[in-house]
Amino acid sequence: AFAILFGEFAMHDHGRRLLFYALTVRMMLLTFSQAYMAISKASEQMHLVTLQQSVGVAVSLVTIVACIVMQAGLLGFVGALVVGQLCETWLGWTILRRRFQPGPIRKLDFRSGAGMLVAALPVGVIAILQAASLRMDILVLGVFASNSELGHFQAAAWLLVLTFLCGSLLMTVLFPRMVRVLQNPAPCGFAWVETLIQQGVLLMLLVAAGVCVGAPFLLRVCYGPALLAAAPLLRILATAAPFLFLNTMLFYICIASNRRRIYLRSLAISSWAGFGLALVLAPQYGGVGVGL
């Protein structure tokens, strides 16, 4: 509902609005897909998660190749991602029904539903805030900047998205062990968590330094020479990558140690601060201001 209101009243470009709606559909499908994968993760059957995601990626690649052959526009390529996500979600539902046998649809139990909602609400709000914070720069910049500048910023913002995905995938695999370690405090367990944080942040610092040095080369390899103007934006965003990686790790650590409220409070403050700064800096400085 928020996406529809935002698209109708804040996006005057018809093509951009259609892309936004297509990505919103993909996000909704992704939500269900993540729910199905969560059941496989909880039962420690990670091969089912790998299968589900591999099928989604394979279908997306096939449809993207078809778009290239047919010389489709940008909306067609985004549609290819939606098709891949739809297949991933369908496979997750199929695995859920065959492997875990949920049985017939049950009657609504409002009491147990309310209990689950109360338990899940903080985590859900955190996940929404994380996703919104990750794309808040694009949403704000899209209101004030031209399509060309928005494209340059989007070309540089792939680093933050990739950082978030890498951190999430790593912590998803380690999450069951992290829960056992933090729910049963021991010096060796805390040392394991500290070592994980230290090595992860050091690795991301090296990656950020390499991106800053090789920004033009990376842009040329990924997009060709047309988007070399995005190199300054990529260097600015590279400095945020270690912090984003650490933030992603802290999310899983706080969930595993039952400190959701602490993380939710910190994330809410930082999200509103970033949104306010983006509104102030975007009209005057464009992509550079939003990146900063």
Side-chain angles (χ1 to χ4, degrees), residues 163 166-167 170-171 174 192-210 238-251 253:
T163 301
C166 290
L170 172 65
M171 299 305 291
L174 298 177
W192 179 77
V193 175
E194 290 176 357
T195 302
L196 178 65
I197 294 174
Q198 291 172 355
Q199 293 180 351
V201 173
L202 285 174
L203 178 62
M204 283 309 304
L205 285 172
L206 293 175
V207 171
T239 60
F243 298 100
L244 178 61
F245 188 82
L246 176 60
N247 186 30
T248 306
M249 297 178 72
L250 290 177
F251 164 65
I253 292 172

Side-chain angles (χ1 to χ4, degrees), residues 38-276:
I39 298 174
S40 300
K41 294 172 185 175
S43 59
E44 297 188 0
Q45 299 187 47
M46 297 300 294
H47 62 285
L48 298 179
V49 177
T50 303
L51 173 64
Q52 186 177 337
Q53 292 182 328
S54 299
V55 169
V57 172
V59 173
S60 295
L61 288 176
V62 171
T63 51
I64 287 174
V65 171
C67 289
I68 294 174
V69 173
M70 294 185 295
Q71 297 181 350
L74 181 58
L75 185 60
F77 284 93
V78 176
L81 298 178
V82 174
V83 171
Q85 191 61 60
L86 178 62
C87 292
E88 179 184 309
T89 305
W90 171 81
L91 180 60
W93 172 243
T94 303
I95 292 173
L96 178 67
R97 294 198 62 183
R98 292 184 179 180
R99 283 299 191 99
F100 301 97
Q101 299 178 355
I105 299 176
R106 301 178 184 272
K107 294 182 179 180
L108 291 176
D109 186 348
F110 292 101
R111 179 175 297 179
S112 61
M116 286 188 286
L117 179 62
V118 170
L121 189 60
V123 181
V125 173
I126 289 172
I128 292 172
L129 280 177
Q130 272 195 326
S133 298
L134 190 63
R135 296 284 78 187
M136 192 68 71
D137 48 8
I138 298 295
L139 293 177
V140 174
L141 190 63
V143 177
F144 299 101
S146 63
N147 288 339
S148 176
E149 186 174 7
L150 184 63
H152 287 169
F153 191 90
Q154 186 75 285
W158 64 267
L159 177 64
L160 297 184
V161 177
L162 183 61
T163 301
F164 177 76
L165 290 176
C166 290
S168 297
L169 290 173
L170 172 65
M171 299 305 291
T172 298
V173 174
L174 298 177
F175 186 71
R177 179 182 178 183
M178 185 171 294
V179 172
R180 291 193 293 268
V181 167
L182 295 178
Q183 294 295 332
N184 300 288
C188 60
F190 288 125
W192 179 77
V193 175
E194 290 176 357
T195 302
L196 178 65
I197 294 174
Q198 291 172 355
Q199 293 180 351
V201 173
L202 285 174
L203 178 62
M204 283 309 304
L205 285 172
L206 293 175
V207 171
V211 171
C212 286
V213 173
F217 172 76
L218 292 174
L219 289 171
R220 185 181 293 107
V221 170
C222 294
Y223 304 106
L227 291 176
L228 288 178
L233 294 173
L234 181 57
R235 290 191 176 100
I236 292 174
L237 296 180
T239 60
F243 298 100
L244 178 61
F245 188 82
L246 176 60
N247 186 30
T248 306
M249 297 178 72
L250 290 177
F251 164 65
Y252 287 91
I253 292 172
C254 289
I255 297 299
S257 58
N258 291 324
R259 298 185 179 183
R260 297 185 291 264
R261 293 182 179 179
I262 295 175
Y263 186 83
L264 178 58
R265 192 181 306 120
S266 304
L267 184 60
I269 293 173
S270 64
S271 298
W272 280 109
F275 180 64

Side-chain angles (χ1 to χ4, degrees), residues 11-28:
M11 292 188 171
H12 305 292
D13 188 300
H14 180 69
R16 187 183 296 181
R17 190 187 304 128
L18 287 178
L19 289 174
F20 183 70
Y21 288 157
L23 291 172
T24 302
V25 171
R26 182 171 182 263
M27 181 192 68
M28 293 178 63

